Every structure is written in C-alpha cells, then in structure tokens.
Amino acid sequence: MKNKLPCEIVRDLLPSYVDGLTSGVTNEAICEHIQSCDACKETLHRMQAPEEIESAEKQEKEIDFLKKTRSRTRRMLAISMATMAFLVAAVLFVRMYFVGDEIYADSVLCQTTVSGNEVSISGTVVDSARGISEIEFEEKDGIVTISLKATLASPFHKGDFESTYEADEAVTQVKIGNRILWDHGEKISAETSAVYNAKHLYIGDMSANGALANALGMREILGRFENELHTTSKPYGWSIYLQEEIDPANEKNIQTQMASYAYVLLATIDNLDYIQFHYAKENDNICINFSQEDATIFLGKDVKTCAETAAELQHFMKQVEPGNISERED
C-alpha cells in the first residue's frame, strides 16, 4: 500500500501528534504511515520517550562523574597519606637527630666542678649511639639544676660534652634532675643522693619509710622483712621483722649492718625515736634496739643534725659504715 503522506510531512506533524494537537483525520494518516515506515516509527518512539533517554543519559553522566570524583578522592587521599607520612618522618628525624629527649644522671658519666659562682660540667653519654644536643642550667636559691637532651649520635651531636655556667649567687648544690652531683664543696655519691632525697619528717608515712629502705638497699642485705610502726604516742618507733633466719656465723656482721642502717634512719626520719630489728636465731627470737640516744652517744653529737645537707649526710654515712662501727666496737 502506498503511503498517502511523505516522511517529511509526517516528521513535521509528529511533535503536534505527540502533544495531541492534530485532528482525527491527521492522526489516522500518521498512524497509517508509521505502520509501514520504520524510520518514522523510530522517530516517534524517541519523541514519546524523551525523559527515559534523558534519564539514562543523565545517569550515565552521574556515574561517570562519580567515577571521576572517586578517582580524584583516592588520588587526593594517597597524596595526603604520603604527605602525612613524610611530615611524621621529618618530625621524627628532627627529633631524633636535632632536638632530642631529656636524659638523666644515670645515662651519663660526668664530672662537676664549682669555683666561686662558676659551675662546669663535662662527661660522656653511657650509650655510644647517643649524642648531647642541648645543655641547660636553671638556678634557684643557690641550687643549679642541669638539664641534658640527647639525640642519636651524628656529626652535629657527639657523646662527649662540656659546658660552663656563671651563677648569679653563691652555689650550694648542683644536680641533674633529682640526682645531686655536688653539695657544699663535696662531690656526692649516687647512694647519698638517693638517701638524701628520701629523707622525711614522719615515721608514720610507711611509703616514705619504704623509699628510704630501698635507697639504703636494706633488703639486699637483710632479705625480706615486715614492718610495724609505733606512732600512737612518743617515743615513736619502727619495728622490722626479718623473715629469714640468720646464720650464727654471720650474726655479728648482720648486727653491725643493722646498727649502720638504724643510725642513718634515725638521722633521716625527723621524728623517729628508736628502731628495732627482730630475727630468729636457732630456737630464739632476738630483738636489737637502737635509740636516738644510742646514736648520739656513738657519734658524739645529736644524730638529728647529721643529714641537714647532702654533704653532711655523706660524711655521716661514711662514719657509720659497718667497717667503721666494727672498729669502734672492738
């Protein structure tokens, strides 16, 4: 059957046809033409479903946009992570090789001298892989506190160090952290420094008593022991009960060591009046008592005045070493 309308006219009419603006006669003519013309039928189909096509195209564009955005986000994330890693590495590098961390007296071997108001320190780091990056001095009430920072050893920072500080007033003490190195003209040992830092006012403070016992190394010599405090009324005392039986052959040495500990404890605990050591010997229970009066008689001066400075405490601790006590008793 021959089409009554050419394709050009049908395509011109299709927009009006889709919108329902053509007459019935025109509609019949268009329908008759479309049934036999695949090209016009396809054109009509596209005009009747433009939203679906646009939606598909829009969805395709959105997917493409999301892919591009995701790719860009991943790229930015990778760059951010790489930048962060670089910054962390840079900070660690600077800290490890240029800034450093604070170290204390047990990490260095050092020599301290004081001449007038001038403080000089020199030494070396115990760990050969470390180097000193900074030495600072802080002064307060005649006490000069030295702070040391160490980095990994490098051509910029080496293990050996030396520095000098001019104080504003007369120097009475020099220390690194809490470790006293020099006091009133005396070089101070690590043990004396630990004992001096642990001295306290009240025998009733058992944690402080334990710190003193640790500073003196009492458990290394006496073994395990238990404590009983007598603080209800004066005289105030401390009873120490040894948990291990003493060998009679070593009893004299242990008693001498007990006397040395007792005198130091009486000097460094302000209100301690007496100290007792209890131990088992074969089938007997022995108690040895040391009072403030006993210590004062032994020393020839008030024991409570023997630890007023770290230098005085060091002289006192040498005076009451077990060997010196044995000589005087003999």
Side-chain angles (χ1 to χ4, degrees):
M1 186 188 317
K2 187 176 180 181
N3 289 329
K4 295 181 180 180
L5 294 175
C7 291
E8 289 79 2
I9 294 175
V10 171
R11 290 173 187 173
D12 288 341
L13 292 172
L14 282 179
S16 297
Y17 173 78
V18 171
D19 293 336
L21 301 176
T22 53
S23 66
V25 175
T26 304
N27 290 343
E28 290 179 7
I30 292 173
C31 288
E32 182 181 347
H33 178 86
I34 287 174
Q35 288 177 0
S36 60
C37 180
D38 292 337
C40 289
K41 184 186 292 185
E42 178 64 25
T43 301
L44 175 61
H45 177 72
R46 286 201 304 270
M47 293 177 70
Q48 286 178 330
E51 292 183 0
E52 293 180 7
I53 295 173
E54 288 178 7
S55 177
E57 291 177 351
K58 183 178 180 182
Q59 187 176 9
E60 193 174 318
K61 289 179 180 179
E62 288 178 351
I63 291 173
D64 187 54
F65 174 77
L66 289 173
K67 287 181 179 178
K68 290 180 179 178
T69 301
R70 189 176 301 153
S71 176
R72 187 164 55 249
T73 301
R74 287 176 178 170
R75 187 165 58 253
M76 292 300 295
L77 182 60
I79 293 172
S80 297
M81 291 179 66
T83 302
M84 182 68 70
F86 174 78
L87 290 175
V88 170
V91 169
L92 289 175
F93 179 83
V94 170
R95 182 169 181 175
M96 291 169 63
Y97 284 96
F98 293 95
V99 178
D101 299 309
E102 187 170 4
I103 60 172
Y104 300 95
D106 57 356
S107 299
V108 297
L109 299 174
C110 63
Q111 190 82 7
T112 305
T113 58
V114 178
S115 178
N117 289 13
E118 185 179 89
V119 178
S120 297
I121 184 170
S122 61
T124 187
V125 183
V126 174
D127 184 355
S128 60
R130 306 271 278 172
I132 296 295
S133 61
E134 186 176 343
I135 304 175
E136 290 186 344
F137 297 84
E138 182 181 344
E139 178 185 352
K140 184 177 180 180
D141 300 329
I143 299 175
V144 175
T145 302
I146 302 171
S147 299
L148 303 174
K149 283 188 176 182
T151 64
L152 291 178
S154 70
F156 305 101
H157 304 122
K158 299 183 179 180
D160 296 333
F161 63 92
E162 61 178 346
S163 187
T164 301
Y165 173 75
E166 187 71 28
D168 295 329
E169 56 184 292
V171 179
T172 58
Q173 188 179 99
V174 180
K175 59 183 183 176
I176 296 177
N178 289 327
R179 165 73 164 88
I180 302 169
L181 303 174
W182 181 94
D183 183 87
H184 291 87
E186 296 288 334
K187 293 179 182 178
I188 303 300
S189 70
E191 182 186 20
T192 300
S193 175
V195 173
Y196 185 80
N197 287 330
K199 72 174 188 169
H200 58 283
L201 298 176
Y202 305 110
I203 183 58
D205 186 348
M206 193 60 232
S207 63
N209 298 339
L212 255 177
N214 290 336
L216 287 168
M218 290 174 57
R219 286 181 174 79
E220 284 79 358
I221 301 298
L222 303 179
R224 295 179 298 108
F225 57 82
E226 294 183 354
N227 306 283
E228 182 181 0
L229 302 180
H230 310 283
T231 57
T232 304
S233 60
K234 286 186 70 68
Y236 300 133
W238 180 5
S239 291
I240 295 177
Y241 295 86
L242 275 61
Q243 301 299 292
E244 299 172 10
E245 188 169 326
I246 290 181
D247 182 357
N250 195 40
E251 183 178 14
K252 180 64 176 176
N253 292 334
I254 293 295
Q255 288 180 343
T256 304
Q257 187 68 66
M258 289 176 180
S260 176
Y261 289 145
Y263 294 153
V264 175
L265 293 171
L266 286 164
T268 53
I269 302 176
D270 192 64
N271 72 338
L272 178 61
D273 296 314
Y274 68 92
I275 185 165
Q276 296 175 339
F277 291 92
H278 300 260
Y279 63 92
K281 174 188 173 184
E282 297 177 340
N283 294 324
D284 294 330
N285 291 318
I286 310 297
C287 174
I288 301 179
N289 186 80
F290 300 93
S291 67
Q292 179 181 343
E293 291 75 15
D294 295 333
T296 297
I297 291 171
F298 177 83
L299 296 167
K301 62 178 181 179
D302 186 359
V303 69
K304 297 297 184 183
T305 66
C306 294
E308 292 178 349
T309 68
E312 290 174 328
L313 176 60
Q314 182 154 281
H315 285 300
F316 168 67
M317 289 178 66
K318 289 179 179 178
Q319 188 178 358
V320 297
E321 286 178 347
N324 293 331
I325 291 176
S326 295
E327 288 180 4
R328 289 191 56 174
E329 289 179 346
D330 293 342

